[in-house]
Amino acid sequence: MPRGKSPHALDLPRPTSWLDKAGVNKQDGAYEALRSAILTKMLPAGSRLPSSRTLAERWELSRGTIETVFDRLHAEAYVTRVPGSGTRVCAVVPERFLMAGFTDTSPVGPFSEPVPVSDTGVRDGLPFVARRADASLFPMAAWSKCATRALAAATPEQLCSADPAGLLQLRQQIADFLAKYRGIRCDPQDIVVTTGIRHAIDLLARGIVRDGDKVCLEEPGYPAARALFALAGAVPVDIAVDAEGIDCAALAAHTDACLAYVTPAHQSPLGVTMSVTRRLALLEWANDSGAWVVEDDYDSEFNYHSAPLAALKALDQYQRVIYCGSFNKTLFAGLRVGFMVLPPALRPPLLRIVQLTGRSVGVTQQLALAAWMEEGAFVRHLRLARLAYKERRDLLLACLEQVAPGRYTISGQQAGFHCVLWLPPDADERVFCALAAQEGLALQPLGDFCHSARLAPAVLLGYTALSLAQVRHAAQKLGRLLLLPAPGAE
């Protein structure tokens, strides 16, 4: 190839390793070959792919197969297809939006600047319920086939597995995903499978908290976490959240606390991302105080403008962070599979509690999810869902700006399942929610997430579980409400 010339797909030899791989059809093989070339930058950003006819002849495939592969790559945002301009590699490929912000093994990697984000919700299909994935995006047919194969191949030992930590195959897949996309290097033995975040919090409250122990919580924050720790006898301590996350200066006054619960990737509900400075200060506080930090990695998979920071757990040199994740938010709420990454000191006592209370996650779900992740289907689903959610968010913001410009402020729109709509300062958020309910809109007042804080009036707008038509119709209704005199104003 002449010096300085960009690589071209035509220069790639026939990918026999993919096309002749046992059990892989020609279409999937060609897709993986081109996708791999893009990710390894053999085909860098802006590279033009040859015509489908040319590539089909070179790779000895049908033109229809190559066209399908091009369409698939386009749907997943690896390439752009413009009539008259051909097919080109995108400037930023989808993995950029999933991959944690560092690649080496040092405690602190080259993080990007923190970006605000968001969280919250109730029931699907009703605008603007928050904190919901769109179950209609889930590829049920592909999942069903994968689950059938996994169950058919399962051994009696697997079906009767007594490991309270969960199925080993699933824990291996989770460890691999965390290493690639959240910057967490852990072993499968560090992972315990749960039914979701609340199950994890409940287990931690039972295993760590003693009656009268202080537990530091974000304010505003996740109400269920407060309730679960309180059930265990904890004394909740409110720690304010600002533009950089939890206030570590205020946290420093509570060195006698047993733990702090935080949502650093996407604070619930304000949507800010905890800065690297705050993350390091939080870890120092935990180490100096002998306290645990519970990291709820809420919404980290859905960043629309930039790659996420690596997880707080990725910086944890002191083994003080308990990382909690859930597939219920990324796939569908009824799945009921989550997980924890535990420091070594907590593994034995937490596993005893799991055994005592009964294992809650069925082995069939674990087998299916493990096989699905191993095939790469989980990451593909995240890419497609992120694109769909971004499209809905963009439409929501555009419609509001068109109908009611200057009547509101938006924050937390950079990621997640919802954004925060700030009302005029003299408005009453609960009155506004009541008016919205009369129009068939379900809004959550920000005050529902506050215990001691008194913030400006605001409501949460969830958009991910809505169709584009629902978003457009509901946004127009909401915009017209914003044009009315501030509800609750004197």
Side-chain angles (χ1 to χ4, degrees), residues 218 253 401 414 416 446-447 459:
E218 296 172 323
E401 177 61 24
Q414 295 86 347
L446 184 58
V459 296

Side-chain angles (χ1 to χ4, degrees), residues 59-81:
W59 284 8
E60 300 176 345
L61 298 172
S62 71
R63 185 180 179 186
T65 295
I66 296 298
E67 280 289 342
T68 301
V69 169
F70 280 8
D71 286 341
R72 187 171 168 185
L73 291 168
H74 176 247
E76 295 181 8
Y78 287 103
V79 301
T80 58
R81 305 199 75 183

